[in-house]
Structures are given as C-alpha cells and as structure tokens.
Amino acid sequence: MKLLSYILLLTFGILLIYAANKLPTRGHPDNPINRDTSLAGTPAASAHYIRNAEKEMHTPNVVTTILADYRGYDTLGETTVIFCAGIVVFLILRRQRDGSKV
Amino acid sequence: MVQRSDSIIVGIVSRFMVPLIQLFALYVIAHGHYSPGGGFQGGALLGASVLLLRLTVGEQPSNLVFHKKYGTPMSGFGVFIYAAVGVAAMIGGGVYLDYANLPIAGMEPAALRSLGILLVETGVGIGVMATMIAIFDDLAKGDFHD
Amino acid sequence: MIWQLELIIYLLLIASAIVALRAKDLLAAIVVLSVYSFGSAFLFAILGAVDVGFTEAVVGAGITGILFLAALYYTTRKSVD
Amino acid sequence: MIFEHFPILIPLPLLLGAMIAAPLGVWKRDLAYPIALFATGVSLFFAVSGLIFVLNTGTHHYHLGSWAPPIGIEYVVDALSSFVAVIVVGVGFLVMIYSHRSLQRELPNKEVPFHSVSLLFLAGLSGMVVTGDLFNLYVFLEIASLSAYALVSVGEKRAPVAAFRYLLLGTIGASFYLLGLGYLYLVTGSLNMLDTAKIIPLLQEHGLVLVALTLMIVGIGLKMAMFPLHLWLPDAYTYAPSAGSAYLAPIATKVSAYVLIRILFTVFEPAFVRDEFSFTSVIAWLSAVGIIWASVMAIAQKDLKRMLAYSSVSQIGYIGLGIGLANPLGFIGAVLHIMNHAVMKATLFLVSGNIFYRLGFTDIPKFDDKLRKMMPFTSVAFVVAALSMIGIPPTAGFFSKWYLVLGSIDAGNWIFVFVIALSSLLNVVYFFRIIEKMYISKSKTLSESTVEEIKMREAPISMLIPTLVLAIAVIVLGLLNAVIVDSVIKLAMPNGL
Amino acid sequence: MTDFFIGHIAYYFIIALLIIGLWGMLFKKNLVKKLIGMNILQSSIIIFYVASASKYNATVPVIDPRLGAINPAHYINPLPHTLMLTAIVVSVATTGVALALLIVIYKRYKTLNEDELLERMK
C-alpha cells in the first residue's frame, strides 16, 4: 500500500514534468501572459496594467495598483481570509463565559 | 503564556527595536504607492513588533502597547474599512470598489483612485495587524488553556 | 534574472525542505523552515518580485515561525520521524 | 436602482455581517445572532430578486471597480449561478434560524464566533457561485474552506482530528486547483472564465491544457468529495456539531459540484471534455462506483450522522454521474439533484440535530417507537426526506433520479441505469431500517431507561420550524419540478451540450 | 537547446519541491511535520507563479514616468506577483488555523503522532 502511494506520487511528478516541458519558455516577451492581446483578440491584463497604471491612478508601483484597485476585490477576499483565520482561532481556542467579556 | 525572557539584553534591545519597527511599518503602508510594500506587509510588521514585545518583555507591559482584548474587534474593524470604502463608492454612484466615484468633491478620478488605494491599504494594515496579534494571543493564551 | 544564482537557491531550498521534514527536533525543523522561507524570499527578490519577497520575508520567516513556536510551547518538541 | 448591484449584494451583506457580528458579539453576546440572521435575510432577499431579475432580462455582468473583464474581476449572474445562489443562501438562512437553540445546547460558550464563522462560510460559498473569475474563485474557496474546517473542529470527541484531516486534504485540493490554474494561465494569459473559454479553442497544443484541467478537477473533486477523494467527509460530518454538519452537508459539496460544472462546461467546451478527451466519462464511471460503494458503507453504519455522511458521498455520486453524462438530460438531472439533495440532506441533518437535542445520542440501534411518540413532527419530516432520498414520487428526489435515468438511456449506457436502480434499493435498506425502528419496533432501551409516561417532547419551535419548512419544500419542489426545469435549468444549459 | 534548458530547469526544481511537500504531508507521521510539508507545498506553488512571471532584460514593476514611453517588455509581469501575495496570506491563515487545531488535539489526546493518535481514539 505504501509502495503504491510512492508510485502514485512519482507518477504525479512525472506528469507535472511532462506538462512543464510544454510550458512556454520562461522570460520571453511574447509569451501569452506577456503579450498585449490574447489569442482571441481580447486585451491581455498585464500589459494593460503596466501601460496605464501610472496614468490612471498616479501610483508608480504597479503591484499596488493591481492589488488595491484593478483586482481590489481579490484583496478584499484576502483580508477576509485573514480575518476569517482570526475568528476561526477565536472559535476553536476561546470560551466566552457568562457575564464576562471575552 | 509563553515565558518572557529573563535576559536584560534581550529586553532592552527589543524595547529599543519596537518603535523603529513600527515607524518602518507605517512608512511601508504609507509609501506603498511608490515602493514595494503596502497594507499587508506593513500590517504584518506592526503585528510582528507587538509579538516581539509579547515574547520578550511579557504580557503585562505589552498589553500597554496593544491590549489583547482589542484583537478581534480591531480585525473586524480593519476589514470593515475596506468593505465600507467599496460601499461608499456605491453610494457615490459607481459600482462596488470603484474608487473614482468616492463621494469626495473636487478631485480628479486618478487622484481619487490614489486616495482610495491609501484608504484601503490602511484598512488592510489595521486588520492584518490586529488579526496576527489575535491569533498569537489565542494560540499562546486562550481560555482553552485554563 | 540570473539563472546560475537562481539554481543555487533552488538547491538550498530543496536541501532545507528535506532537512525541515527529517529533523527529529520540531524546534529545529521550524527554524529550518524559516530558513526555507527566507531563501524563497531571496529568490523572489532575484526574480524581480520585490513585493512578494518582502511579504514572504515578513510572513514566512517571521509570523509563521512565531505562530509555530507558540503552538509548540503547548505541545511537544519531539518527533519520531 | 439598487437592484443593478444585486450580484455584489449577495455575498456582501454576509461579509459585513460577519465583520460586525464578531466585535459586537464580543461586547454583548446577544447581538450576534440577530445581526447574523438579518445579514442572511438581506442576502437571501437579493439572491431571490436576482433570480427573478435574471429570468426576466437574461445574464447580468457586474464589473467590480468598473474595470472590464480581462482587466478586472467580474461577477456573472446567469440562470445557473443565481439558482445555486438561492439554494445556498436559502438553506443557509433556514439553518441559521435553527442553529440558535442547537448551539445554546451544544456549544453555549462559543455562540458568537460560530455565528460569525457561519456567515463567512455562506459568504465564501455565495462568492464562489457568482464569481466569473478563476482566481477570485480560489480566494472565496479558501474563505469557505477555512470556515468549514472550523465548523467541524468545534464538535465533540474526535472532531479536531477530523477537522485537521479535512484541512490537510482541503489544502491539497486548493493547491492543486491553484497549480492547474497556473498552468492554464500560462498558456492562455487570462484569468476570466469567459475570456479563457474564448482562447482555449484557438490553442495549438492541448497537452498542457489537459494537465491543467486534470489538476483543477482533482482539486475541486477533493473539495466536492468525489468518489475516490471523499476520505475526509464521513469523519467530518459525523463529529461536527449538529449546526455545523447542517451547514456543511447540504451546501458545501454542492457548490464545489457547481464549480465543476462551470469549469467543465463554461471554461472548457462540452465537446472538448466529452468527445476529444473523455474526461466526463471518467467522472461518470468513478461516480457510479462511488454511488454503490458509499451506499453499501452506509448500510454498515450504526450512527445516524455517519450513515447520512456516507449517503452524502453516494448522492454526490449522482451529481457527478449527471455531470459526467454530459448530455442535456444528465445536466438537468445533476442541477436538479444539487437542489434536491441540498434540501433533503438539510432536512435529514436537522432531524438528526433535533434527535440529538432531546436524546443526546444518534445511535440507530437505540431508536424505537418512543422516539416517534416523543417527536412526531420530526419523525414525519424524517420519513418525507427518507422517501425522497429513496426516490419515491411525488417527492423531489424521484425527479432528479428520473432525469438521470433518462440521461443514461440517452447516452446508451444501461449500466448507469442499473446503478441508479440498485442504489435506490440500497437506500431503501438503510432508510427503512430506521423508519421501521421509529414506527414499528416496540420500545426497548428508551422505555427502560425512562419509566415516566410517554409524552410529546418536541424540539424547540425555532428548531422545528426550519425542519418542517424543509420537509414541506421536499414535496413542493417535487411537485414544481417541471416548472423549475422549464423556467430555470433549461435557460442554464451550457452552449454545445 | 540551452535556451530551453535555462527556461525550464526552474520548473523541475519547483516540481521537486512540490513532491517533497506532498511527501511530507502524506507520509510523515507527526502532525507538525505534515504542516511543514503543507507550507512547502504552498510555497512551491508560489515560487512557480513568480518564476513563470520573470522576464529577460526587464526590471521590477515600479514605473518611473520620467523614463519616457512605457514598454511592457521592459517590466516584469506584475499580475502573478499580485496573485501570489494573496496566496501567501492564504497560506499563513491556513497555518494559523491548523496550529489552533493541533493545540486542541494535543490537549485531548496528549500526542501529535498519527499512529498513537489512531490508537488513542479507539
């Protein structure tokens, strides 16, 4: 059984390496993630961010603009995840007694 | 509670370090527009500075900096700032989180967006700081351990 | 992107990951995990992701380690594997 | 005017409610529950009005931060997502009403954070449902998962261990999803679902897309407890507190099933996953095995909640089978079963919570006819839901199975028809065992332990009403199934199915 | 060939890290070790995203408008960085929750070893 799991793990690794060989070569400007438009002709996000971030929100750090504005809703979710972790630890480890504040 | 350190050197050095870390953290939050950093990193640094005090000088003195009973309310408040900025944009006539429609008169959209980013990052900073401290306090001294 | 330097850090990361998983003392394992985090923060800085590197340095090497320590204080340091 | 914003207004009240309920609850304990109930009510109102709006005017796109899709995040509310959102928030609302008294009995000193966490749980699930962005889905998946671990962990006995296991497997699932998304993003350059769907057919090389799809399906499958990946589910549902399992069982896995539908049929084309690479038939066969295996396991269980947990695995198999058939009738069956199973399983878990509230145990061998005399309404609700699980008309469960059978026949696969029939028989075995104990067998243990006169001691009214509402819904939804299929699910049919 | 090698070799190391993390999660008996494995797994995926975003002859995505016309080829792709900030936060949140669970488990069963845990749960 343990041997089977190891084989499964190795197979998984080989599958991933097979996939990694087919990935676009790292660092070229014409990789799909770096292009100006996608294959379907829709605008690609990253190039738009780099071109317009400074103009649209007076903020040179592109990562900040994406984090807080272009994809701001993700960051709301991210902050909620942290808040959620806080509440969850509160739920697991604290008891609220009658009459007393926590 | 995790035992405080008995070494005087550790105590004094950490007392000296904490204000510097906090100053740097505030800089990181406020300067996130121009350089690496932002609400999350700054908040985590602020949290880490309080955690350093909790570890070195003990619970009572560090409660003066940030009392443990504020952990959960402040984390809720931080996230609430973020969500409320989005709602304010909705009240201003835009869609959710559209900072260009924040109801503040006399600012062009780009400046408003910049301001919105700052507000949001502040919320994230407060939330992350308080949550980190709250998680540590619960792990180190929840009522569970009674 | 200096790929030779990158490779050295990958080797360091793999080594520290294995050490962290094999250490019998959990405190040591967590310290090595912090080393791992710090290595990956350095890697992010090389790859041009300064924000991610900053965050990883603060969170991975700082907060995660502290949380692990706080939990270990109430559990046990020993591990059989 | 405010209705233009309804997509964001489905998860937002829940998030805001959680943020407000926790601090105020720390200050004054009694405030948490009304806030939670109010927030869920507001969210339910917008979910229902959103469904009506969508059915009248068609799909609604909501660009968060007013950035058009490939640049920003969009919320897409079409017939399918608004339908699932109504189910999620609706069942969540009823369980929220129910959880108050149940928590006062089981976790008296953890009420406030529990309400806050359950709000976050509902917010995460409803966010997953309405989002149109693959990475945003991951974020909300994590919110829902973290709160789900917590809902499990506060139970008795082995609950923390079950929750820890759930956490490890759930994290593996989320990581696989993220890795698959990374592969997909590297070849398409887009994170938006509809945008990605446009790009994928134009790609020259399919090997990478296949690996990405496999990783995403395995990840979502872990969250959904698809057959060989269900290992976390029985323990988690068994040891969670009654309110926790009542939240988890009906909706958590269903939303993952919905995500699976989205990925297979919206991001990828049905023709791609069905004809070119037979992903869907793998899912269908695994589900078929899972249906039988989990039904057999359910027969062997002695604890009511554990039996219901295994029955959940088997019912998720039905949904997987419907998705795997990848034809219109199978799709209708799967979506209808998402709704039916949410309602039926919610009823059953609420019933088991009611029994636990009064008796303090849920061991099946200890049940006898005194239980029925003590709790007549709960027993009736149990019988209705059990009949629906078995698939007896006119209860809701019959119709989804009917569509699944039609879909199997349509696909020319008689083995699946046989599987569905066999599993219905197995369902009869394990539910009639309990009904027999409740209605026929003369009392042994219960009567001996208490000599007092048998009198009615139903669960409190705030726990009984949601149970009965859900039990009535089982029948009403069964009678209305033609309306639901015609006016909602047929509109939700993906292109090219 | 060398171009391909340099462009892909990082992925092999990342996959090795991922497999090490999975191995730790699945085969280590100590629950803290499982958590360490989980951290390694999550960070390997973060490294995967960040590594795939890197670009030759490009600089960090902080734009100086005084440098004239902005060419996206001169700046590293910022979107994966943003996504990974979120993923880091998720990973620390998960770790916090898991540690809370560990404390409860230790309180109830006085062990963190999986075999002993299964023994004591009977």
Side-chain angles (χ1 to χ4, degrees):
Chain A
M1 194 62 208
K2 193 154 189 182
L3 189 72
L4 187 73
S5 325
Y6 274 108
I7 292 171
L8 219 65
L9 205 58
L10 266 182
T11 323
F12 178 62
I14 291 165
L15 175 82
L16 285 182
I17 287 176
Y18 158 81
N21 278 331
K22 292 186 179 301
L23 283 175
T25 304
R26 224 146 60 91
H28 280 299
D30 54 345
N31 282 350
I33 55 169
N34 296 336
R35 272 201 290 253
D36 267 353
T37 54
S38 67
L39 275 178
T42 46
S46 304
H48 179 272
Y49 298 148
I50 295 172
R51 276 187 208 285
N52 300 322
E54 219 288 323
K55 190 169 62 199
E56 279 171 350
M57 47 202 80
H58 291 181
T59 304
N61 189 352
V62 186
V63 175
T64 302
T65 63
I66 305 172
L67 195 71
D69 198 339
Y70 290 114
R71 294 184 72 86
Y73 195 64
D74 268 356
T75 311
L76 177 61
E78 168 202 311
T79 320
T80 312
V81 169
I82 270 287
F83 169 69
C84 183
I87 295 291
V88 166
V89 176
F90 176 8
L91 171 64
I92 295 173
L93 289 179
R94 251 193 273 181
R95 294 199 193 100
Q96 233 173 340
R97 291 194 203 83
D98 284 323
S100 75
K101 291 168 190 175
V102 174
Chain B
M1 181 63 200
V2 175
Q3 290 287 308
R4 54 163 289 208
S5 162
D6 289 329
S7 160
I8 191 164
I9 298 173
V10 171
I12 292 205
V13 168
S14 63
R15 270 172 226 244
F16 176 72
M17 287 289 289
V18 165
L20 295 181
I21 297 176
Q22 286 172 343
L23 197 63
F24 179 60
L26 291 178
Y27 166 79
V28 166
I29 295 180
H31 208 252
H33 289 50
Y34 306 99
S35 64
F40 185 77
Q41 292 91 331
L45 273 174
L46 277 176
S49 71
V50 179
L51 295 194
L52 179 63
L53 276 185
R54 289 265 204 278
L55 287 173
T56 53
V57 302
E59 194 190 348
Q60 296 301 331
S62 65
N63 271 346
L64 297 176
V65 179
F66 190 96
H67 198 282
K68 65 177 185 254
K69 74 181 175 191
Y70 295 131
T72 309
M74 285 278 275
S75 62
F77 178 66
V79 193
F80 185 77
I81 291 178
Y82 201 135
V85 171
V87 174
M90 244 155 85
I91 292 168
V95 296
Y96 191 67
L97 287 176
D98 182 3
Y99 308 136
N101 282 309
L102 284 177
I104 300 170
M107 286 175 86
E108 52 167 335
L112 264 178
R113 285 187 181 279
S114 186
L115 178 71
I117 291 173
L118 184 64
L119 288 176
V120 160
E121 298 272 19
T122 314
V124 175
I126 294 173
V128 169
M129 171 192 71
T131 314
M132 291 298 175
I133 297 169
I135 291 179
F136 176 83
D137 284 345
D138 286 346
L139 285 180
K141 190 182 172 59
D143 289 4
F144 188 82
H145 295 300
D146 292 350
Chain C
M1 184 167 127
I2 310 160
W3 67 274
Q4 292 89 343
L5 189 55
E6 220 186 309
L7 290 196
I8 294 169
I9 295 176
Y10 283 129
L11 291 176
L12 171 79
L13 288 185
I14 289 178
S16 54
I18 291 173
V19 171
L21 282 173
R22 289 191 68 89
K24 295 268 193 287
D25 185 354
L26 290 176
L27 193 63
I30 286 156
V31 172
V32 179
L33 186 70
S34 292
V35 172
Y36 174 89
S37 285
F38 220 84
S40 55
F42 188 46
L43 179 69
F44 296 147
I46 296 174
L47 290 170
V50 270
D51 281 85
V52 187
F54 192 175
T55 315
E56 179 73 31
V58 173
V59 169
I63 304 242
T64 308
I66 295 177
L67 294 184
F68 262 112
L69 288 184
L72 273 201
Y73 189 81
Y74 287 102
T75 57
T76 173
R77 267 175 71 171
K78 294 188 193 69
S79 159
V80 287
D81 57 349
Chain D
M1 192 239 358
I2 194 157
F3 283 100
E4 289 165 18
H5 296 292
F6 75 85
I8 185 69
L9 286 172
I10 297 171
L12 190 65
L14 299 167
L15 285 179
L16 285 173
M19 292 161 204
I20 296 167
L24 285 189
V26 169
W27 177 51
K28 262 196 175 32
R29 282 170 71 159
D30 299 339
L31 282 175
Y33 177 64
I35 293 172
L37 204 59
F38 177 73
T40 323
V42 173
S43 174
L44 180 62
F45 170 72
F46 282 109
V48 172
S49 52
L51 178 63
I52 296 167
F53 184 83
V54 167
L55 291 182
N56 287 331
T57 59
T59 307
H60 188 83
H61 293 259
Y62 188 80
H63 301 159
L64 288 154
S66 74
W67 300 108
I71 311 298
I73 297 168
E74 71 166 343
Y75 264 11
V76 183
V77 185
D78 57 9
L80 181 59
S81 57
S82 57
F83 179 64
V84 180
V86 171
I87 296 169
V88 167
V89 186
V91 173
F93 183 68
L94 289 172
V95 179
M96 182 78 74
I97 296 174
Y98 168 90
S99 68
H100 187 49
R101 288 300 296 272
S102 168
L103 284 177
Q104 281 180 347
R105 167 62 58 92
E106 288 177 39
L107 296 165
N109 42 23
K110 292 188 173 182
E111 246 182 289
V112 173
F114 194 96
H115 285 307
S116 187
V117 165
S118 51
L119 278 176
L120 284 169
F121 175 69
L122 293 176
L125 291 180
S126 53
M128 277 164 81
V129 169
V130 284
T131 192
D133 189 278
L134 286 165
F135 191 79
N136 196 244
L137 194 145
Y138 168 76
V139 176
F140 277 83
L141 178 82
E142 282 293 348
I143 296 177
S145 317
L146 277 182
S147 9
Y149 310 147
L151 293 182
V152 173
S153 70
V154 284
E156 289 292 308
K157 290 180 288 190
R158 290 160 60 177
V161 183
F164 191 78
R165 209 170 184 202
Y166 183 16
L167 186 143
L168 287 181
L169 288 174
T171 310
I172 293 181
S175 301
F176 276 21
Y177 176 80
L178 192 58
L179 188 65
L181 176 58
Y183 279 169
L184 194 63
Y185 172 64
L186 284 187
V187 284
T188 59
S190 178
L191 289 168
N192 187 271
M193 286 185 190
L194 298 173
D195 199 34
T196 315
K198 271 186 236 159
I199 297 169
I200 287 172
L202 304 172
L203 292 173
Q204 308 294 322
E205 168 73 67
H206 281 311
L208 199 54
V209 180
L210 289 181
V211 174
L213 180 58
T214 315
L215 284 170
M216 285 163 102
I217 288 178
V218 171
I220 295 297
L222 263 168
K223 292 278 180 196
M224 174 185 163
M226 212 159 65
F227 165 58
L229 309 170
H230 66 278
L231 294 169
W232 55 267
L233 189 143
D235 270 2
Y237 285 10
T238 311
Y239 297 112
S242 308
S245 44
Y247 274 118
L248 276 174
I251 45 184
T253 48
K254 306 305 159 309
V255 171
S256 301
Y258 162 83
V259 172
L260 189 66
I261 292 178
R262 276 280 152 201
I263 289 173
L264 283 174
F265 299 146
T266 305
V267 178
F268 293 85
E269 281 178 340
F272 181 82
V273 290
R274 183 184 55 202
D275 304 333
E276 279 190 61
F277 306 94
S278 42
F279 268 99
T280 49
S281 57
V282 174
I283 293 175
W285 280 104
L286 285 178
S287 303
V289 177
I291 292 173
I292 300 294
W293 183 86
S295 300
V296 173
M297 285 302 283
I299 293 176
Q301 302 307 321
K302 289 204 164 51
D303 183 85
L304 177 60
K305 277 171 90 178
R306 201 169 181 83
M307 188 198 90
L308 293 179
Y310 275 105
S311 130
S312 265
V313 177
S314 136
Q315 302 288 320
I316 292 159
Y318 284 117
I319 298 171
L321 183 66
I323 297 169
L325 285 171
N327 57 22
L329 287 167
F331 177 82
I332 292 174
V335 177
L336 203 59
H337 205 68
I338 286 179
M339 175 186 77
N340 291 344
H341 184 230
V343 177
M344 298 183 300
K345 226 355 115 36
T347 319
L348 288 171
F349 270 103
L350 294 196
V351 166
S352 87
N354 284 350
I355 294 174
F356 189 83
Y357 187 88
R358 278 297 175 220
L359 300 183
F361 60 82
T362 50
D363 295 335
I364 298 171
K366 290 191 192 164
F367 289 174
D368 55 23
D369 68 337
K370 190 161 178 235
L371 179 66
R372 187 239 322 169
K373 285 173 187 155
M374 241 167 80
M375 314 176 83
F377 295 111
T378 307
S379 306
V380 168
F382 179 84
V383 171
V384 169
L387 292 180
S388 175
M389 294 290 273
I390 295 162
I392 292 173
T395 51
F398 168 74
F399 295 99
S400 42
K401 279 189 187 176
W402 178 245
Y403 279 107
L404 288 175
V405 168
L406 288 181
S408 309
I409 296 172
D410 206 31
N413 197 329
W414 290 91
I415 297 175
F416 290 162
V417 179
F418 172 71
V419 164
I420 294 171
L422 177 63
S423 95
S424 296
L425 284 178
L426 293 172
N427 271 327
V428 170
V429 174
Y430 61 77
F431 279 113
F432 263 89
R433 189 173 51 146
I434 299 170
I435 295 175
E436 188 257 353
K437 276 194 182 299
M438 274 182 177
Y439 281 82
I440 298 164
S441 89
K442 281 293 162 238
S443 37
K444 287 190 290 285
T445 39
L446 277 181
S447 312
E448 280 167 14
S449 58
T450 48
V451 195
E452 60 181 271
E453 194 68 22
I454 298 167
K455 59 177 176 229
M456 227 176 81
R457 277 167 67 220
E458 260 299 353
I461 196 86
S462 74
M463 289 169 77
L464 193 60
I465 286 178
T467 319
L468 291 179
V469 168
L470 283 167
I472 294 166
V474 169
I475 297 175
V476 171
L477 291 175
L479 296 174
L480 290 179
N481 82 88
V483 181
I484 295 170
V485 169
D486 284 335
S487 62
V488 183
I489 301 180
K490 284 197 174 153
L491 287 177
M493 193 79 69
N495 296 325
L497 199 66
Chain E
M1 186 58 209
T2 46
D3 210 30
F4 181 85
F5 183 72
I6 295 169
H8 286 77
I9 190 164
Y11 294 137
Y12 304 150
F13 286 109
I14 291 162
I15 289 164
L17 278 175
L18 195 142
I19 297 289
I20 290 171
L22 267 182
W23 170 72
M25 280 179 91
L26 297 176
F27 296 112
K28 283 289 169 186
K29 293 291 177 202
N30 189 295
L31 298 185
V32 179
K33 287 288 179 63
K34 282 177 188 285
L35 271 189
I36 292 174
M38 187 182 92
N39 264 310
I40 292 170
L41 171 69
Q42 285 174 324
S43 83
S44 78
I45 291 169
I46 295 167
I47 298 172
F48 172 77
Y49 270 77
V50 172
S52 66
S54 62
K55 214 182 266 186
Y56 294 120
N57 301 324
T59 180
V60 294
V62 178
I63 286 160
D64 192 341
R66 286 167 299 179
L67 293 182
I70 299 162
N71 183 356
H74 293 163
Y75 297 96
I76 292 169
N77 193 341
L79 181 53
H81 300 177
T82 315
L83 305 182
M84 285 312 104
L85 283 177
T86 309
I88 289 177
V89 176
V90 167
S91 106
V92 70
T94 318
T95 309
V97 172
L99 288 173
L101 286 176
L102 276 189
I103 290 180
V104 178
I105 291 173
Y106 191 78
K107 194 90 178 170
R108 276 190 199 175
Y109 296 103
K110 296 285 174 244
T111 181
L112 289 181
N113 187 295
E114 202 178 29
D115 294 337
E116 289 175 27
L117 206 57
L118 289 174
E119 193 70 25
R120 286 174 204 192
M121 280 195 310
K122 277 175 189 158

